[in-house]
Amino acid sequence: MPDGSSNTAGRTVLTYGTFDLFHIGHLRLIERLAAMGDRLIVGVSTDEFNAGKGKRSVVSYDDRAAIVAAIKGVDLVVPEESWDQKRKDVVAHEVDVLVMGDDWTGKFDDLKDVCEVTYLPRTAGVSSTEIKQLLSALDPRHLEEMSQAVSTLTNLLEHYRDLT
């Protein structure tokens, strides 16, 4: 098992993610991961696995996997189909270090007996979840809700204007 030093010779790095609505944060993450070793494996969450987590991707698994596979520094993309496959993947691919986002800190420490486990901070100011939330405002159902809210606020402002 690696000692955590800056020597990356021969190291295999593994990470997992959905990689939906691919953005600069995803690219920066992959660049950082590729610099941590000689081989980078990326597990991309399948649509079925995401559904089991209560998530729905905008972009299909096949397209997300193809995008990630095309990124410089990615050597292999594997489908992430379950929570418990991480240990199997680490052993099967002779992984030296598993790297996850710091929002998962401590969640995969049980794998420290088979590899190094590292948690990296996410790129500030960008996330697929935030992008989806912004885009959801464009959904016609939300436009009606916003219109009603604006109407209510307008009525309140007119009422308070009349009081002054």
Side-chain angles (χ1 to χ4, degrees):
M1 187 179 330
D3 62 5
S5 68
S6 61
N7 180 8
T8 63
R11 280 174 38 127
T12 296
V13 177
L14 171 65
T15 195
Y16 294 89
T18 299
F19 297 96
D20 198 19
L21 301 176
F22 198 88
H23 53 70
I24 195 67
H26 293 135
L27 180 60
R28 295 295 178 250
L29 172 65
I30 289 172
E31 290 171 340
R32 287 187 289 172
L33 296 170
M36 293 176 73
D38 286 332
R39 184 167 177 241
L40 175 58
I41 302 171
V42 179
V44 176
S45 302
T46 63
D47 296 330
E48 296 77 15
F49 183 48
N50 279 337
K53 296 186 287 184
K55 293 173 65 175
R56 185 172 154 258
S57 297
V58 174
V59 179
S60 73
Y61 166 78
D62 289 336
D63 289 351
R64 290 181 287 114
I67 290 166
V68 171
I71 303 298
K72 179 182 171 184
V74 175
D75 296 294
L76 177 66
V77 170
V78 296
E80 181 185 24
E81 300 172 309
S82 69
W83 290 111
D84 64 347
Q85 87 177 65
K86 288 174 180 60
R87 180 172 293 276
K88 295 173 196 166
D89 287 348
V90 166
V91 173
H93 296 287
E94 300 179 348
V95 170
D96 297 292
V97 59
L98 171 71
V99 183
M100 298 296 290
D102 61 2
D103 53 332
W104 292 101
T105 297
K107 302 281 194 227
F108 301 107
D109 288 353
D110 63 305
L111 297 174
K112 287 184 176 182
D113 65 320
V114 290
C115 69
E116 177 184 336
V117 178
T118 301
Y119 302 96
L120 292 180
R122 297 193 174 265
T123 302
V126 63
S127 79
S128 297
T129 301
E130 290 172 2
I131 293 169
K132 287 178 189 177
Q133 288 171 345
L134 289 171
L135 291 175
S136 72
L138 301 176
D139 184 314
R141 294 170 295 181
H142 294 278
L143 292 175
E144 178 59 31
E145 292 170 5
M146 287 190 304
S147 176
Q148 290 174 359
V150 167
S151 177
T152 300
L153 286 172
T154 300
N155 289 339
L156 283 171
L157 288 172
E158 288 174 2
H159 172 75
Y160 283 111
R161 187 176 304 129
D162 292 342
L163 293 175
T164 57

